[in-house]
Coordinates of all heavy atoms in Angstrom, one line a residue:
M206 N -19.2 2.4 30.0 CA -18.5 2.7 28.8 C -19.2 1.8 27.7 O -19.4 0.6 28.0 CB -17.0 2.4 28.8 CG -16.4 2.8 27.6 SD -14.5 2.6 27.5 CE -14.0 2.7 29.1
S207 N -19.5 2.5 26.6 CA -20.3 1.7 25.6 C -19.4 0.6 24.9 O -18.1 0.8 24.9 CB -20.8 2.6 24.5 OG -19.7 3.1 23.8
P208 N -19.9 -0.5 24.3 CA -19.0 -1.4 23.6 C -18.2 -0.8 22.5 O -17.1 -1.2 22.3 CB -20.2 -2.3 23.0 CG -21.3 -2.3 24.0 CD -21.4 -0.8 24.4
L209 N -18.8 0.2 21.8 CA -18.1 0.9 20.7 C -16.8 1.6 21.3 O -15.8 1.5 20.7 CB -18.9 1.9 20.0 CG -18.3 2.6 18.8 CD1 -17.9 1.5 17.8 CD2 -19.3 3.5 18.2
R210 N -17.0 2.3 22.4 CA -15.9 3.0 23.0 C -14.8 2.0 23.5 O -13.6 2.3 23.4 CB -16.3 3.9 24.2 CG -17.1 5.1 23.6 CD -17.2 6.2 24.7 NE -16.1 6.9 24.8 CZ -15.4 7.2 25.8 NH1 -15.9 6.9 27.1 NH2 -14.3 8.0 25.8
M211 N -15.2 0.8 24.0 CA -14.3 -0.2 24.5 C -13.5 -0.7 23.3 O -12.3 -1.0 23.4 CB -15.0 -1.3 25.3 CG -15.5 -0.9 26.5 SD -16.1 -2.2 27.7 CE -17.3 -3.0 26.7
I212 N -14.2 -0.9 22.2 CA -13.5 -1.4 20.9 C -12.4 -0.3 20.5 O -11.3 -0.8 20.2 CB -14.5 -1.6 19.8 CG1 -15.3 -2.9 20.1 CG2 -13.8 -1.8 18.4 CD1 -16.6 -3.1 19.2
Y213 N -12.8 1.0 20.5 CA -11.8 2.0 20.1 C -10.6 2.0 21.0 O -9.4 2.1 20.6 CB -12.5 3.4 20.2 CG -13.5 3.6 18.9 CD1 -14.6 4.5 19.2 CD2 -13.3 3.1 17.7 CE1 -15.5 4.7 18.1 CE2 -14.2 3.3 16.7 CZ -15.3 4.2 17.0 OH -16.2 4.4 15.9
L214 N -11.0 1.9 22.4 CA -9.9 1.9 23.3 C -8.9 0.6 23.2 O -7.7 0.8 23.3 CB -10.4 2.0 24.7 CG -9.4 2.1 25.9 CD1 -8.5 3.3 25.7 CD2 -10.0 2.1 27.2
G215 N -9.5 -0.5 22.9 CA -8.7 -1.7 22.7 C -7.9 -1.6 21.4 O -6.7 -2.0 21.4
L216 N -8.5 -1.0 20.3 CA -7.7 -0.8 19.1 C -6.6 0.1 19.3 O -5.5 0.0 18.8 CB -8.6 -0.3 18.0 CG -9.5 -1.5 17.4 CD1 -10.6 -0.8 16.5 CD2 -8.8 -2.5 16.8
A217 N -6.8 1.2 20.1 CA -5.7 2.2 20.4 C -4.6 1.6 21.1 O -3.5 1.8 20.9 CB -6.3 3.5 21.1
T218 N -4.9 0.7 22.1 CA -4.0 0.1 22.9 C -3.2 -0.9 22.0 O -1.9 -1.0 22.0 CB -4.7 -0.7 24.1 OG1 -5.4 0.3 24.8 CG2 -3.6 -1.4 25.0
W219 N -3.9 -1.7 21.2 CA -3.3 -2.7 20.4 C -2.5 -2.0 19.3 O -1.3 -2.4 19.0 CB -4.3 -3.5 19.6 CG -3.8 -4.6 18.7 CD1 -2.6 -5.2 18.8 CD2 -4.5 -5.2 17.6 NE1 -2.5 -6.2 17.7 CE2 -3.7 -6.2 17.0 CE3 -5.8 -4.9 17.0 CZ2 -4.1 -6.9 15.9 CZ3 -6.1 -5.7 16.0 CH2 -5.3 -6.7 15.4
G220 N -2.9 -0.8 18.8 CA -2.2 -0.1 17.8 C -0.9 0.7 18.3 O -0.1 1.0 17.6
A221 N -0.9 0.8 19.7 CA 0.4 1.3 20.3 C 1.3 0.1 20.6 O 2.5 0.3 20.3 CB 0.0 2.0 21.5
M222 N 0.8 -1.0 21.0 CA 1.7 -2.0 21.6 C 2.3 -2.9 20.5 O 3.5 -3.3 20.4 CB 1.0 -2.9 22.6 CG 0.7 -2.1 23.9 SD -0.4 -3.0 25.1 CE 0.6 -4.4 25.3
H223 N 1.4 -3.4 19.5 CA 1.9 -4.3 18.5 C 2.9 -3.8 17.6 O 4.0 -4.5 17.4 CB 0.5 -4.9 17.7 CG 0.9 -6.0 16.9 ND1 0.1 -7.3 17.2 CD2 1.7 -6.3 15.9 CE1 0.6 -8.1 16.3 NE2 1.5 -7.6 15.5
P224 N 2.7 -2.6 16.9 CA 3.8 -2.1 16.2 C 5.0 -1.8 17.0 O 6.2 -2.0 16.4 CB 3.2 -0.7 15.5 CG 1.7 -0.9 15.6 CD 1.5 -1.8 16.9
M225 N 4.9 -1.3 18.2 CA 6.0 -1.0 19.0 C 6.9 -2.2 19.3 O 8.1 -2.2 19.4 CB 5.6 -0.3 20.3 CG 6.7 0.4 21.0 SD 7.5 1.7 20.1 CE 6.1 2.9 19.8
Y226 N 6.2 -3.4 19.5 CA 6.8 -4.6 19.8 C 7.8 -4.9 18.6 O 8.9 -5.3 18.8 CB 5.8 -5.8 19.9 CG 6.4 -7.2 19.9 CD1 7.1 -7.7 21.0 CD2 6.3 -7.9 18.8 CE1 7.7 -9.0 20.9 CE2 6.8 -9.2 18.7 CZ 7.4 -9.7 19.8 OH 8.0 -10.9 19.7
H227 N 7.3 -4.8 17.4 CA 8.1 -5.1 16.3 C 9.2 -4.1 16.1 O 10.3 -4.4 15.6 CB 7.3 -5.2 14.9 CG 6.4 -6.3 15.0 ND1 6.8 -7.7 14.7 CD2 5.1 -6.5 15.2 CE1 5.8 -8.5 14.9 NE2 4.7 -7.8 15.2
L228 N 9.0 -2.9 16.4 CA 10.0 -1.9 16.3 C 11.1 -2.1 17.2 O 12.3 -2.0 16.9 CB 9.4 -0.4 16.5 CG 10.3 0.8 16.1 CD1 10.7 0.7 14.7 CD2 9.5 2.0 16.5
V229 N 10.7 -2.3 18.5 CA 11.8 -2.7 19.5 C 12.6 -3.9 19.1 O 13.8 -3.9 19.3 CB 11.1 -2.8 20.9 CG1 12.1 -3.5 21.9 CG2 10.5 -1.6 21.4
R230 N 12.0 -5.0 18.6 CA 12.7 -6.2 18.1 C 13.7 -5.7 17.0 O 14.8 -6.2 17.0 CB 11.7 -7.2 17.5 CG 11.0 -7.9 18.7 CD 10.2 -9.0 18.2 NE 10.9 -9.9 17.3 CZ 10.3 -10.5 16.2 NH1 9.1 -10.3 16.0 NH2 11.0 -11.2 15.4
W231 N 13.3 -4.8 16.1 CA 14.1 -4.4 14.9 C 15.3 -3.7 15.5 O 16.4 -3.9 15.2 CB 13.3 -3.6 13.9 CG 14.2 -3.1 12.9 CD1 14.4 -3.8 11.7 CD2 14.9 -1.9 12.7 NE1 15.3 -3.0 10.9 CE2 15.6 -1.9 11.5 CE3 15.1 -0.8 13.6 CZ2 16.4 -0.8 11.1 CZ3 15.9 0.2 13.2 CH2 16.5 0.2 11.9
F232 N 15.0 -2.7 16.5 CA 16.2 -2.0 17.1 C 17.2 -2.9 17.8 O 18.3 -2.8 17.7 CB 15.7 -1.0 18.0 CG 15.3 0.3 17.4 CD1 13.9 0.9 17.5 CD2 16.2 1.1 16.7 CE1 13.6 2.0 16.9 CE2 15.8 2.3 16.1 CZ 14.6 2.8 16.2
Q233 N 16.7 -3.9 18.5 CA 17.5 -4.9 19.3 C 18.2 -5.8 18.3 O 19.5 -6.1 18.5 CB 16.7 -5.8 20.2 CG 16.1 -5.1 21.3 CD 15.1 -6.0 22.1 OE1 14.6 -6.9 21.6 NE2 15.0 -5.6 23.4
A234 N 17.7 -6.2 17.1 CA 18.4 -7.0 16.2 C 19.4 -6.3 15.3 O 20.5 -6.8 15.1 CB 17.3 -7.6 15.3
T235 N 19.2 -5.0 15.0 CA 20.1 -4.3 14.2 C 21.0 -3.3 15.0 O 22.1 -2.9 14.4 CB 19.3 -3.4 13.1 OG1 18.5 -2.5 13.8 CG2 18.4 -4.4 12.3
G236 N 20.5 -3.0 16.1 CA 21.3 -2.0 16.9 C 21.2 -0.6 16.3 O 22.0 0.3 16.5
G237 N 20.3 -0.5 15.3 CA 20.1 0.8 14.6 C 19.5 1.9 15.3 O 18.9 1.7 16.4
G238 N 19.8 3.1 14.8 CA 19.3 4.3 15.4 C 18.2 5.0 14.4 O 17.7 4.3 13.5
L239 N 17.9 6.2 14.6 CA 17.0 6.9 13.8 C 17.4 6.9 12.3 O 16.5 6.7 11.4 CB 16.7 8.3 14.3 CG 16.0 8.4 15.6 CD1 15.8 9.8 16.0 CD2 14.6 7.7 15.4
A240 N 18.6 7.1 12.0 CA 19.1 7.2 10.6 C 18.9 5.8 9.9 O 18.4 5.7 8.7 CB 20.6 7.6 10.5
E241 N 19.1 4.7 10.7 CA 19.0 3.4 10.1 C 17.4 3.1 9.8 O 17.0 2.5 8.8 CB 19.5 2.3 11.1 CG 21.0 2.3 11.0 CD 21.6 3.4 11.9 OE1 20.9 4.1 12.6 OE2 22.9 3.5 11.8
I242 N 16.6 3.6 10.8 CA 15.1 3.3 10.6 C 14.6 4.1 9.4 O 13.8 3.6 8.6 CB 14.3 3.5 11.8 CG1 13.0 2.8 11.6 CG2 14.0 4.8 12.1 CD1 12.3 2.2 12.8
F243 N 15.0 5.3 9.2 CA 14.6 6.1 8.0 C 15.0 5.4 6.7 O 14.3 5.4 5.8 CB 15.1 7.5 8.1 CG 14.4 8.5 9.0 CD1 15.0 9.0 10.2 CD2 13.0 8.6 9.1 CE1 14.4 9.8 11.2 CE2 12.4 9.4 10.0 CZ 13.0 9.9 11.0
A244 N 16.3 4.9 6.8 CA 16.8 4.2 5.6 C 16.0 3.0 5.3 O 15.6 2.6 4.2 CB 18.3 3.8 5.8
A245 N 15.6 2.2 6.4 CA 14.8 1.0 6.3 C 13.4 1.4 5.7 O 12.8 0.6 4.9 CB 14.7 0.3 7.6
W246 N 12.9 2.5 6.1 CA 11.5 2.9 5.6 C 11.6 3.1 4.2 O 10.6 3.0 3.5 CB 11.0 4.1 6.3 CG 10.7 3.9 7.7 CD1 10.3 2.7 8.3 CD2 10.4 5.0 8.7 NE1 10.0 3.0 9.7 CE2 10.0 4.3 9.9 CE3 10.7 6.4 8.7 CZ2 9.8 5.1 11.1 CZ3 10.3 7.1 9.9 CH2 10.0 6.4 11.0
H247 N 12.7 3.5 3.6 CA 12.8 3.7 2.1 C 13.7 2.7 1.4 O 14.4 3.1 0.5 CB 13.2 5.2 1.9 CG 12.3 6.1 2.5 ND1 11.1 6.4 1.8 CD2 12.3 7.0 3.6 CE1 10.4 7.3 2.5 NE2 11.1 7.7 3.6
A248 N 13.7 1.5 1.9 CA 14.7 0.5 1.4 C 14.2 0.1 0.0 O 15.0 -0.3 -0.8 CB 14.7 -0.7 2.4
N249 N 12.9 0.2 -0.2 CA 12.5 -0.2 -1.6 C 11.2 0.6 -1.9 O 10.6 1.3 -1.0 CB 12.2 -1.8 -1.7 CG 11.3 -2.2 -0.7 OD1 10.2 -1.7 -0.5 ND2 11.7 -3.2 0.1
A250 N 10.7 0.4 -3.1 CA 9.4 1.2 -3.5 C 8.2 0.9 -2.7 O 7.5 1.7 -2.3 CB 9.2 1.0 -5.0
A251 N 8.1 -0.4 -2.3 CA 7.0 -0.8 -1.5 C 7.0 -0.2 -0.2 O 6.0 0.3 0.4 CB 6.9 -2.4 -1.4
S252 N 8.1 -0.3 0.5 CA 8.2 0.4 1.9 C 8.0 1.9 1.8 O 7.4 2.5 2.7 CB 9.4 0.0 2.6 OG 10.6 0.4 2.0
S253 N 8.6 2.5 0.8 CA 8.3 4.0 0.6 C 6.9 4.4 0.4 O 6.5 5.3 1.0 CB 9.2 4.5 -0.5 OG 10.5 4.5 -0.2
A254 N 6.2 3.5 -0.4 CA 4.8 3.8 -0.6 C 4.0 3.7 0.6 O 3.1 4.5 0.9 CB 4.3 2.8 -1.7
L255 N 4.4 2.7 1.5 CA 3.6 2.6 2.7 C 3.9 3.7 3.6 O 3.0 4.2 4.3 CB 4.0 1.2 3.4 CG 3.3 0.9 4.7 CD1 1.8 0.8 4.5 CD2 3.7 -0.5 5.2
V256 N 5.2 4.1 3.8 CA 5.5 5.3 4.6 C 4.7 6.5 4.1 O 4.1 7.3 5.0 CB 7.0 5.5 4.5 CG1 7.4 6.9 5.1 CG2 7.8 4.5 5.3
W257 N 4.7 6.8 2.8 CA 4.0 8.0 2.4 C 2.5 7.8 2.5 O 1.9 8.8 2.8 CB 4.4 8.3 0.8 CG 5.6 8.9 0.7 CD1 6.8 8.4 0.2 CD2 5.9 10.3 1.2 NE1 7.8 9.4 0.4 CE2 7.3 10.5 1.0 CE3 5.2 11.2 1.8 CZ2 8.0 11.7 1.2 CZ3 5.8 12.4 2.2 CH2 7.2 12.6 1.8
E258 N 1.9 6.6 2.4 CA 0.5 6.4 2.5 C 0.1 6.8 4.0 O -0.8 7.4 4.3 CB 0.2 5.0 2.2 CG -1.3 4.7 2.3 CD -1.6 3.3 1.8 OE1 -1.1 2.9 0.9 OE2 -2.7 2.8 2.3
L259 N 0.9 6.2 5.0 CA 0.7 6.4 6.3 C 0.9 7.9 6.8 O 0.2 8.4 7.6 CB 1.5 5.5 7.3 CG 1.1 4.1 7.1 CD1 2.2 3.2 7.8 CD2 -0.3 3.8 7.7
T260 N 1.9 8.6 6.1 CA 2.2 10.0 6.4 C 1.0 10.9 5.9 O 0.6 11.7 6.7 CB 3.5 10.4 5.8 OG1 4.5 9.6 6.3 CG2 3.8 11.9 6.1
I261 N 0.5 10.6 4.8 CA -0.6 11.4 4.3 C -1.8 11.2 5.1 O -2.5 12.0 5.4 CB -0.8 11.1 2.8 CG1 0.4 11.6 2.0 CG2 -2.0 11.7 2.3 CD1 0.5 11.1 0.6
A262 N -2.1 9.9 5.4 CA -3.2 9.6 6.4 C -3.1 10.3 7.7 O -4.0 10.8 8.2 CB -3.4 8.1 6.5
A263 N -2.0 10.3 8.3 CA -1.7 10.9 9.5 C -2.0 12.5 9.5 O -2.5 13.0 10.3 CB -0.3 10.6 10.1
I264 N -1.5 13.0 8.4 CA -1.7 14.5 8.1 C -3.3 14.7 8.0 O -3.8 15.7 8.5 CB -1.0 15.0 6.9 CG1 0.6 15.0 7.3 CG2 -1.3 16.4 6.5 CD1 1.5 15.2 6.1
A265 N -3.9 14.0 7.2 CA -5.3 14.0 7.0 C -6.1 14.0 8.3 O -7.0 14.7 8.6 CB -5.9 13.1 6.0
L266 N -5.7 13.0 9.1 CA -6.3 12.8 10.5 C -6.0 14.1 11.3 O -7.0 14.5 12.0 CB -5.8 11.5 11.2 CG -6.3 11.4 12.6 CD1 -7.7 11.2 12.7 CD2 -5.5 10.2 13.3
T267 N -4.9 14.6 11.3 CA -4.5 15.9 12.0 C -5.4 17.0 11.6 O -5.9 17.8 12.5 CB -3.0 16.2 11.9 OG1 -2.2 15.1 12.3 CG2 -2.6 17.4 12.6
V268 N -5.6 17.3 10.4 CA -6.4 18.3 9.9 C -7.9 18.0 10.3 O -8.5 18.9 10.8 CB -6.3 18.4 8.3 CG1 -7.4 19.4 7.7 CG2 -5.0 18.8 7.8
F269 N -8.4 16.8 10.2 CA -9.7 16.5 10.7 C -9.9 16.7 12.2 O -10.9 17.4 12.7 CB -10.0 15.1 10.4 CG -11.4 14.6 10.8 CD1 -12.5 15.1 10.1 CD2 -11.6 13.9 11.9 CE1 -13.8 14.7 10.5 CE2 -12.9 13.4 12.3 CZ -14.0 13.9 11.5
I270 N -8.9 16.3 13.0 CA -8.9 16.6 14.4 C -9.0 18.0 14.7 O -9.8 18.5 15.5 CB -7.8 15.8 15.2 CG1 -7.8 14.3 15.1 CG2 -7.6 16.4 16.6 CD1 -6.6 13.6 15.6
C271 N -8.1 18.8 14.1 CA -8.1 20.3 14.4 C -9.5 20.9 14.0 O -10.0 21.8 14.7 CB -7.0 20.9 13.6 SG -5.4 20.5 14.2
A272 N -10.0 20.5 12.8 CA -11.4 21.1 12.5 C -12.4 20.6 13.4 O -13.3 21.5 13.8 CB -11.7 20.6 11.0
E273 N -12.4 19.5 13.8 CA -13.5 18.9 14.8 C -13.3 19.6 16.2 O -14.3 19.9 16.8 CB -13.3 17.5 15.0 CG -13.9 16.7 13.7 CD -15.4 16.5 13.9 OE1 -15.9 15.9 14.9 OE2 -16.2 17.0 13.0
V274 N -12.1 19.8 16.6 CA -11.9 20.3 17.9 C -12.3 21.8 17.9 O -12.9 22.3 18.8 CB -10.4 20.2 18.3 CG1 -10.1 21.2 19.5 CG2 -10.1 18.8 18.8
A275 N -12.1 22.5 16.8 CA -12.5 23.9 16.6 C -14.0 24.1 16.7 O -14.5 25.0 17.3 CB -12.0 24.5 15.3
V276 N -14.7 23.1 16.3 CA -16.2 23.1 16.3 C -16.8 22.6 17.7 O -17.5 23.2 18.3 CB -16.8 22.3 15.1 CG1 -18.3 22.2 15.3 CG2 -16.5 22.9 13.8
R277 N -16.3 21.4 18.0 CA -16.8 20.7 19.2 C -16.3 21.1 20.5 O -16.7 20.8 21.6 CB -16.6 19.2 19.1 CG -17.4 18.7 17.8 CD -16.9 17.2 17.6 NE -17.2 16.3 18.6 CZ -18.3 15.6 18.7 NH1 -19.2 15.6 17.8 NH2 -18.5 14.7 19.7
R278 N -15.0 21.8 20.4 CA -14.4 22.3 21.7 C -14.1 21.1 22.6 O -14.0 21.2 23.9 CB -15.2 23.3 22.5 CG -15.6 24.5 21.7 CD -14.3 25.4 21.5 NE -14.7 26.7 20.9 CZ -14.2 27.1 19.7 NH1 -13.4 26.3 19.0 NH2 -14.6 28.3 19.3
N279 N -13.7 20.0 22.0 CA -13.3 18.8 22.8 C -11.8 18.8 22.8 O -11.1 18.1 22.1 CB -13.9 17.5 22.0 CG -13.5 16.2 22.8 OD1 -13.1 16.2 23.8 ND2 -13.6 15.1 22.0
W280 N -11.2 19.7 23.6 CA -9.8 19.9 23.7 C -9.0 18.6 24.0 O -7.8 18.5 23.5 CB -9.5 21.0 24.6 CG -10.2 22.3 24.3 CD1 -11.2 22.8 25.0 CD2 -10.1 23.1 23.1 NE1 -11.8 24.0 24.5 CE2 -11.0 24.2 23.2 CE3 -9.2 23.2 22.1 CZ2 -11.2 25.1 22.3 CZ3 -9.3 24.1 21.2 CH2 -10.3 25.1 21.3
I281 N -9.5 17.8 24.8 CA -8.7 16.6 25.1 C -8.4 15.7 24.0 O -7.3 15.0 23.9 CB -9.5 15.8 26.3 CG1 -8.5 14.7 26.9 CG2 -10.7 15.1 25.8 CD1 -7.5 15.2 27.7
A282 N -9.2 15.8 22.9 CA -9.0 15.0 21.6 C -7.7 15.4 21.0 O -7.2 14.6 20.1 CB -10.2 15.2 20.7
L283 N -7.2 16.6 21.3 CA -5.9 17.0 20.7 C -4.8 16.1 21.0 O -3.7 16.0 20.3 CB -5.6 18.4 21.1 CG -6.4 19.5 20.5 CD1 -6.1 20.8 21.1 CD2 -6.2 19.5 18.9
I284 N -4.8 15.3 22.1 CA -3.7 14.3 22.4 C -3.6 13.3 21.4 O -2.6 12.6 21.3 CB -3.9 13.7 23.8 CG1 -5.0 12.8 23.9 CG2 -3.9 14.8 24.9 CD1 -5.1 12.1 25.2
A285 N -4.6 13.1 20.5 CA -4.4 12.1 19.4 C -3.5 12.5 18.4 O -3.0 11.6 17.7 CB -5.8 11.9 18.8
I286 N -3.3 13.8 18.3 CA -2.2 14.2 17.3 C -0.8 13.7 17.7 O -0.2 13.1 16.9 CB -2.3 15.8 17.0 CG1 -3.6 16.2 16.5 CG2 -1.2 16.2 16.2 CD1 -3.9 17.6 16.4
P287 N -0.2 14.1 18.9 CA 1.1 13.6 19.2 C 1.1 12.0 19.3 O 2.1 11.5 18.8 CB 1.4 14.2 20.5 CG 0.2 14.8 21.1 CD -0.8 15.0 19.9
A288 N 0.0 11.4 19.6 CA -0.1 10.0 19.7 C 0.1 9.4 18.2 O 0.8 8.4 18.0 CB -1.4 9.4 20.2
T289 N -0.5 10.1 17.2 CA -0.4 9.7 15.8 C 1.0 9.8 15.4 O 1.5 8.9 14.8 CB -1.3 10.5 15.0 OG1 -2.6 10.4 15.4 CG2 -1.2 10.2 13.5
F290 N 1.7 10.9 15.6 CA 3.1 11.1 15.2 C 4.1 10.5 16.0 O 5.2 10.2 15.4 CB 3.3 12.6 14.8 CG 2.6 13.1 13.7 CD1 1.3 13.8 13.8 CD2 3.1 12.9 12.4 CE1 0.6 14.2 12.8 CE2 2.3 13.3 11.3 CZ 1.1 14.0 11.4
L291 N 3.9 10.3 17.2 CA 5.0 9.6 18.1 C 4.8 8.2 18.3 O 5.8 7.5 18.4 CB 5.1 10.3 19.5 CG 5.4 11.8 19.4 CD1 5.2 12.4 20.8 CD2 6.8 12.1 18.9
I292 N 3.5 7.7 18.2 CA 3.3 6.3 18.2 C 3.0 5.7 16.9 O 3.6 4.8 16.5 CB 2.2 6.0 19.3 CG1 2.7 6.5 20.7 CG2 1.9 4.5 19.4 CD1 1.5 6.4 21.7
G293 N 1.9 6.3 16.3 CA 1.6 5.8 14.9 C 0.1 6.0 14.7 O -0.7 6.2 15.6
L294 N -0.3 6.0 13.5 CA -1.7 6.1 13.0 C -2.6 5.0 13.7 O -3.7 5.3 13.9 CB -1.7 6.1 11.5 CG -3.0 6.4 10.8 CD1 -3.5 7.8 11.2 CD2 -3.0 6.2 9.4
S295 N -2.0 3.9 13.8 CA -2.7 2.7 14.3 C -3.2 2.9 15.8 O -4.1 2.3 16.3 CB -2.0 1.4 14.3 OG -0.8 1.4 15.0
C296 N -2.5 3.9 16.5 CA -2.9 4.3 17.9 C -3.7 5.6 17.8 O -4.7 5.7 18.5 CB -1.7 4.4 18.7 SG -2.0 5.0 20.3
G297 N -3.2 6.6 17.0 CA -3.8 7.9 17.0 C -5.3 7.9 16.5 O -6.1 8.6 17.1
L298 N -5.6 7.2 15.4 CA -7.0 7.1 14.9 C -7.9 6.5 15.9 O -8.9 7.2 16.3 CB -7.1 6.5 13.6 CG -8.4 6.4 12.9 CD1 -9.1 7.8 12.8 CD2 -8.3 5.7 11.5
P299 N -7.7 5.4 16.4 CA -8.7 4.9 17.4 C -8.8 5.5 18.7 O -9.8 5.8 19.3 CB -8.3 3.4 17.6 CG -6.9 3.2 17.1 CD -6.8 4.3 16.0
L300 N -7.7 6.2 19.1 CA -7.6 7.0 20.3 C -8.5 8.3 20.0 O -9.3 8.6 20.8 CB -6.3 7.5 20.7 CG -6.1 8.4 21.8 CD1 -6.6 7.8 23.0 CD2 -4.6 8.9 22.0
Y301 N -8.4 8.9 18.9 CA -9.2 10.1 18.6 C -10.7 9.6 18.5 O -11.5 10.3 19.2 CB -8.9 10.7 17.3 CG -9.8 11.7 16.9 CD1 -9.9 12.9 17.7 CD2 -10.8 11.6 16.0 CE1 -10.9 13.9 17.4 CE2 -11.9 12.5 15.8 CZ -11.8 13.7 16.4 OH -12.8 14.7 16.2
L302 N -11.1 8.4 17.9 CA -12.4 8.0 17.9 C -13.0 7.8 19.4 O -14.1 8.1 19.7 CB -12.6 6.8 17.1 CG -12.3 7.1 15.6 CD1 -12.2 5.8 14.8 CD2 -13.3 8.0 14.9
F303 N -12.1 7.1 20.2 CA -12.5 6.9 21.6 C -12.8 8.3 22.3 O -13.8 8.4 23.0 CB -11.3 6.2 22.3 CG -11.5 6.0 23.7 CD1 -12.4 5.2 24.3 CD2 -10.8 6.9 24.6 CE1 -12.5 5.0 25.6 CE2 -11.0 6.8 25.9 CZ -11.9 5.9 26.6
L304 N -11.9 9.2 22.2 CA -12.1 10.5 22.8 C -13.3 11.3 22.2 O -14.0 12.0 22.9 CB -10.8 11.4 22.7 CG -9.7 10.7 23.4 CD1 -8.4 11.6 23.0 CD2 -9.9 10.8 24.9
R305 N -13.5 11.2 20.9 CA -14.6 11.8 20.3 C -16.0 11.3 20.6 O -17.0 12.0 20.7 CB -14.5 11.7 18.8 CG -15.5 12.6 18.0 CD -15.3 12.5 16.5 NE -16.1 13.4 15.8 CZ -17.4 13.2 15.5 NH1 -18.1 12.1 16.0 NH2 -18.1 14.1 14.8
T306 N -16.1 10.1 20.9 CA -17.4 9.5 21.3 C -17.7 9.4 22.8 O -18.6 8.8 23.2 CB -17.4 8.0 20.8 OG1 -16.3 7.3 21.3 CG2 -17.3 8.0 19.2
R307 N -16.9 10.1 23.6 CA -17.3 10.1 25.0 C -18.6 10.9 25.2 O -18.9 11.8 24.5 CB -16.1 10.7 25.8 CG -15.9 12.1 25.7 CD -14.7 12.6 26.5 NE -14.6 14.0 26.3 CZ -14.1 14.8 27.3 NH1 -13.6 14.3 28.3 NH2 -14.0 16.1 27.0
P308 N -19.2 10.5 26.2 CA -20.6 11.2 26.5 C -20.3 12.7 26.9 O -19.3 13.0 27.5 CB -21.1 10.5 27.7 CG -20.4 9.2 27.7 CD -19.0 9.4 27.1
A309 N -21.2 13.6 26.5 CA -21.0 15.0 26.8 C -21.2 15.1 28.4 O -22.1 14.4 29.0 CB -22.0 15.8 26.1
G310 N -20.7 16.0 28.9 CA -20.8 16.1 30.4 C -20.2 17.3 31.0 O -19.8 18.3 30.8

């Protein structure tokens, strides 16, 4: 595996684990559910701006992945879409780059 692919894989792993660590801590501290996290995401203008920025970037990544998969026929790369929306952009983007840079075979 090339050094670049190892970096992408490491970033995807970090992007899954680090934000999830903080999210789990938040759930444990507040006992909150989904309604509470949505409220926290929009607690002020700064957090709302960040939520919208990440949402728009995730949608742009999804469009890009779909366009690339249609051309390259790299079907396995589609798993980066649910990773993006279920885990986060910090996991989905490097995961897609990892999958996209695999050697043809």
Side-chain angles (χ1 to χ4, degrees):
M206 186 177 335
S207 74
L209 182 61
R210 290 194 80 224
M211 289 191 303
I212 290 170
Y213 288 149
L214 185 58
L216 287 171
T218 303
W219 182 26
M222 294 174 57
H223 195 119
M225 196 62 62
Y226 167 77
H227 291 286
L228 190 61
V229 167
R230 283 185 50 215
W231 181 86
F232 277 118
Q233 289 173 338
T235 65
L239 288 180
E241 288 81 6
I242 195 147
F243 286 119
W246 287 343
H247 296 286
N249 57 54
S252 61
S253 287
L255 184 58
V256 166
W257 281 111
E258 184 172 332
L259 292 172
T260 300
I261 293 166
I264 292 168
L266 176 61
T267 300
V268 170
F269 180 74
I270 291 171
C271 291
E273 284 276 299
V274 165
V276 171
R277 298 170 60 97
R278 304 288 190 238
N279 182 12
W280 304 109
I281 192 71
L283 289 172
I284 66 169
I286 295 173
T289 298
F290 287 98
L291 297 174
I292 300 171
L294 187 62
S295 62
C296 175
L298 176 58
L300 177 62
Y301 174 71
L302 295 172
F303 171 76
L304 295 169
R305 187 181 187 278
T306 56
R307 72 181 180 151

